[in-house]
Amino acid sequence: MHKRENPMSPINSTSTNANASVSPAENGLIDSLSLLSSEKTVQELIQQPLVHGNDDHLFEFSEALRTVAKALRRVMEVKASAQAEACEWKRKYELERARNLLLEQKGGCFSELNVERAGNSVNKTESSDENSDQCELCNGKDDICAREVLRDGETDSDSCAVPNKMTRKASFKLSWCCKGEKNDRHKHDIVSFEKGNISTAERSSKQISLKWESPPQTVLILTKPNSASVRLLCLEMVRWLKEQKKINIFVEPRVKAELLTESSYYSFVQTWIDENDLLLLQTKVDLIVTLGGDGTVLWAASMFKGPVPPIVPFSLGSLGFMTPFYSEHYRENLSAILLGPISITLRHRLQCHIIRDAAKSEYEIEGPMLVLNEVTIDRGISSFLTNLECYCDNSFVTRVQGDGLILSTTSGSTAYSLAAGGSMVHHQVPGILFTPICPHSLSFRPLILPEHVTLRVVVPLNSSRSGHAWVSFDGKNRKQLAPGDALVCSMAPWPVPTACQIDSTSDFLRSIHDGLHWNIRKTQSPRDT
């Protein structure tokens, strides 16, 4: 049990007197370094052995010091999280400012052109409300709540053209499509998208439609390695996309070497050289095609730390819950997808940071690590049970004693979480799965928490026997957590959009029927009368 701090304890009276002697201005200058030094002092006092013969007041004093140490640790973690968020906003601001300066240098009439287009977008939105537009994907029977997207490089008769040397990304718009009566038309318009990038703050139960406003020009093809059938399909698909669809092709360096080994005809295929080129890949690719299983989809998502282009996953693996398309029909499927509109599923990712106990400032954090399936904390090779303290938005949840803990997205509900006893959850249900691994308690059942919360898992400082824990992200990048280290997880702002064969629900039900043979049994014979 966690003891609450006694307001009459000696440590509280001491801290009160100390604060009374410091002016408010001086209190405002206390930074994370002073907090860290205070915490180290408290830890040294805690580690000193007790003298035999003393009364119980020393034990209460020690518990009070532990409470202060935990409070200081929480302050450090909150400041680290705030600092990381501030750095991300600063980076976005600098990118936007640099883009605006570049556009101003290219043409002085660009700002006026933007204002005119913004007015046209508002007029189009108002006219769409009056005319009650219908969804092309759903045969014109469903409600649409759409938002216009600014298209780069457009020219008007009364305005000048904006030069653009590089290939422009395809622009598109997203629409809500649902069956039934029209109601709350703009209530669920919560998806933001700009210049081919998708971000979202929350999800809706409605099916999402993607409609191209300019045709896709560049496709990235990712393949499963060490597979002869995948290699042959990649050769055929690259040739077909280039000759029949006039599409620019990007592949991995490994795949380009394989293509050139096959024939010099594939010299038109593009790739990247280093990490800097990989970071710029998002600005060039309109569509991603994966040839493999769910692992290939996870690899595709891990390549993009920010916005992710729409992914078309073809099933060429052993078991796939995210790969609804069959490779033998790739021509028909890709032709329909390049033409549009298409149904997509927004698969959210978890954003994780590690805060080390030995960190000297709030700037020393590891991450972010983005996961599409799950983040797992386990006991590693230790024979002892793992001991973890879990918090949800700074509220204590529980102490995990067992083999470990799984924090999963709803897309990962059919992966490790399902094997550990968690429930299967539809991809569009907003939530984070909290699933223990072999808990040391029969009453420890899995939870589904809201997706807007921030989860914090801490290895307690007094973990003497269990010692360290290990954390892995989508089964990779395994890291060790020492006593005092904390893992902070929240929902990432950039989802992974995947194309649907039919729609999100139909694809999900088909995957659990075909992949897991869910509730398949022999039909009961009729009882003789």
Side-chain angles (χ1 to χ4, degrees):
M1 295 180 60
H2 300 271
K3 294 189 177 181
R4 296 184 178 272
E5 183 178 350
N6 186 359
M8 299 303 294
S9 61
I11 184 64
N12 285 327
S13 60
T14 303
S15 61
T16 303
N17 295 333
N19 291 334
S21 61
V22 181
S23 64
E26 293 174 346
N27 283 332
L29 296 176
I30 297 178
D31 56 4
S32 58
L33 292 177
S34 61
L35 290 174
L36 186 63
S37 61
S38 301
E39 183 184 358
K40 295 298 182 181
T41 304
V42 171
Q43 294 300 328
E44 293 176 358
L45 291 175
I46 293 175
Q47 294 175 359
Q48 292 181 0
L50 294 176
V51 181
H52 295 286
N54 290 343
D55 53 12
D56 295 337
H57 293 289
L58 288 178
F59 179 77
E60 294 179 0
F61 182 72
S62 176
E63 290 296 319
L65 288 178
R66 293 181 186 276
T67 303
V68 172
K70 290 182 178 180
L72 291 173
R73 172 56 54 186
R74 291 180 185 176
V75 171
M76 286 284 295
E77 292 170 355
V78 171
K79 292 192 67 175
S81 178
Q83 184 66 31
E85 184 178 359
C87 292
E88 180 66 18
W89 279 108
K90 182 180 179 182
R91 184 185 66 84
K92 293 180 180 179
Y93 168 76
E94 291 177 350
L95 289 176
E96 185 67 19
R97 184 171 178 269
R99 185 180 69 87
N100 292 336
L101 291 176
L102 180 61
L103 293 178
E104 289 177 0
Q105 294 175 1
K106 288 183 176 181
C109 64
F110 187 78
S111 59
E112 298 177 358
L113 181 61
N114 278 348
V115 173
E116 182 180 353
R117 288 176 186 167
N120 293 336
S121 300
V122 174
N123 295 333
K124 289 180 181 180
T125 304
E126 294 176 353
S127 62
S128 64
D129 293 339
E130 296 175 357
N131 298 331
S132 300
D133 294 337
Q134 294 180 335
C135 179
E136 299 178 12
L137 179 67
C138 304
N139 299 325
K141 297 181 180 180
D142 299 329
D143 190 19
I144 287 182
C145 190
R147 187 180 299 168
E148 201 70 14
V149 180
L150 179 63
R151 284 163 285 187
D152 289 344
E154 288 185 345
T155 58
D156 294 333
S157 58
D158 299 332
S159 60
C160 63
V162 179
N164 196 345
K165 296 182 180 180
M166 63 180 295
T167 303
R168 298 190 302 269
K169 286 192 62 176
S171 61
F172 56 82
K173 64 179 180 180
L174 300 182
S175 307
W176 294 123
C177 292
C178 67
K179 298 180 180 180
E181 299 180 356
K182 294 185 290 184
N183 54 3
D184 293 337
R185 183 181 184 83
H186 295 282
K187 183 176 181 181
H188 300 285
D189 190 12
I190 54 179
V191 178
S192 63
F193 42 93
E194 181 183 2
K195 294 179 173 51
N197 301 332
I198 302 176
S199 66
T200 177
E202 52 184 312
R203 273 184 273 186
S204 169
S205 60
K206 298 182 180 180
Q207 177 61 49
I208 301 175
S209 168
L210 184 149
K211 181 179 179 180
W212 301 107
E213 294 194 327
S214 60
Q217 302 178 26
T218 305
V219 172
L220 169 64
I221 300 179
L222 299 176
T223 64
K224 180 176 67 173
N226 304 322
S227 174
S229 60
V230 171
R231 183 177 179 179
L232 292 176
L233 178 62
C234 181
L235 292 171
E236 183 180 347
M237 182 179 292
V238 168
R239 181 184 293 270
W240 178 79
L241 285 173
K242 184 63 177 178
E243 296 179 353
Q244 301 297 325
K245 301 299 180 180
K246 311 302 180 184
I247 296 293
N248 301 319
I249 307 296
F250 270 86
V251 296
E252 298 174 82
R254 168 187 58 84
V255 178
K256 183 174 182 179
E258 294 176 353
L259 294 175
L260 293 178
T261 302
E262 187 71 22
S263 173
S264 59
Y265 165 81
Y266 297 99
S267 58
F268 62 86
V269 175
Q270 304 178 61
T271 186
W272 56 90
I273 301 176
D274 51 21
E275 290 294 330
N276 294 329
D277 292 341
L278 186 59
L279 293 176
L280 295 175
L281 194 62
Q282 180 272 328
T283 63
K284 305 175 182 178
V285 174
D286 300 320
L287 198 67
I288 302 175
V289 175
T290 62
L291 306 179
D294 287 351
T296 310
V297 179
L298 295 177
W299 167 244
S302 66
M303 293 175 59
F304 297 87
K305 306 305 180 183
V308 184
I311 299 178
V312 184
F314 285 91
S315 178
L316 288 161
S318 58
L319 182 65
F321 295 94
M322 304 181 191
T323 54
F325 295 96
Y326 297 111
S327 59
E328 53 267 23
H329 304 300
Y330 78 87
R331 289 184 177 87
E332 297 87 342
N333 292 330
L334 288 179
S335 296
I337 288 171
L338 292 173
L339 181 62
I342 59 175
S343 295
I344 64 171
T345 298
L346 295 182
R347 301 179 182 272
H348 280 219
R349 296 183 289 180
L350 286 175
Q351 181 173 263
C352 307
H353 295 84
I354 296 178
I355 304 176
R356 299 292 183 181
D357 179 63
K360 297 180 180 179
S361 69
E362 70 270 21
Y363 301 102
E364 297 183 10
I365 59 175
E366 300 179 20
M369 284 75 70
L370 298 177
V371 297
L372 182 56
N373 267 354
E374 75 277 312
V375 52
T376 304
I377 308 100
D378 58 75
R379 58 188 175 93
I381 61 174
S382 174
S383 60
F384 297 104
L385 298 178
T386 187
N387 192 2
L388 305 170
E389 292 181 353
C390 303
Y391 301 85
C392 177
D393 286 342
N394 295 324
S395 297
F396 179 74
V397 178
T398 188
R399 180 185 291 266
V400 177
Q401 287 183 301
D403 284 354
L405 176 68
I406 301 173
L407 302 179
S408 170
T409 64
T410 51
S411 293
S413 65
T414 51
Y416 195 179
S417 175
L418 179 64
S423 177
M424 292 185 293
V425 185
H426 192 283
H427 315 310
Q428 291 185 212
V429 176
I432 302 176
L433 279 67
F434 186 91
T435 308
I437 306 174
C438 299
H440 199 247
S441 171
L442 294 178
S443 61
F444 196 169
R445 310 307 301 161
L447 297 177
I448 301 179
L449 300 170
E451 68 173 1
H452 58 78
V453 302
T454 299
L455 297 175
R456 181 164 51 92
V457 181
V458 183
V459 180
L461 291 169
N462 58 355
S463 299
S464 56
R465 295 206 309 168
S466 58
H468 298 72
W470 292 84
V471 57
S472 58
F473 308 92
D474 275 340
K476 299 180 180 180
N477 301 327
R478 192 168 174 83
K479 298 178 181 293
Q480 191 175 31
L481 298 178
D485 293 347
L487 174 71
V488 180
C489 299
S490 59
M491 197 63 72
W494 306 109
V496 178
T498 58
C500 301
Q501 173 73 14
I502 304 175
D503 57 60
S504 181
T505 300
S506 299
D507 289 359
F508 172 74
L509 294 177
R510 188 183 67 176
S511 67
I512 63 175
H513 280 113
D514 296 344
L516 297 177
H517 305 291
W518 180 63
N519 197 29
I520 294 179
R521 63 182 297 273
K522 292 183 178 181
T523 304
Q524 187 174 3
S525 302
R527 181 175 298 178
D528 296 334
T529 56

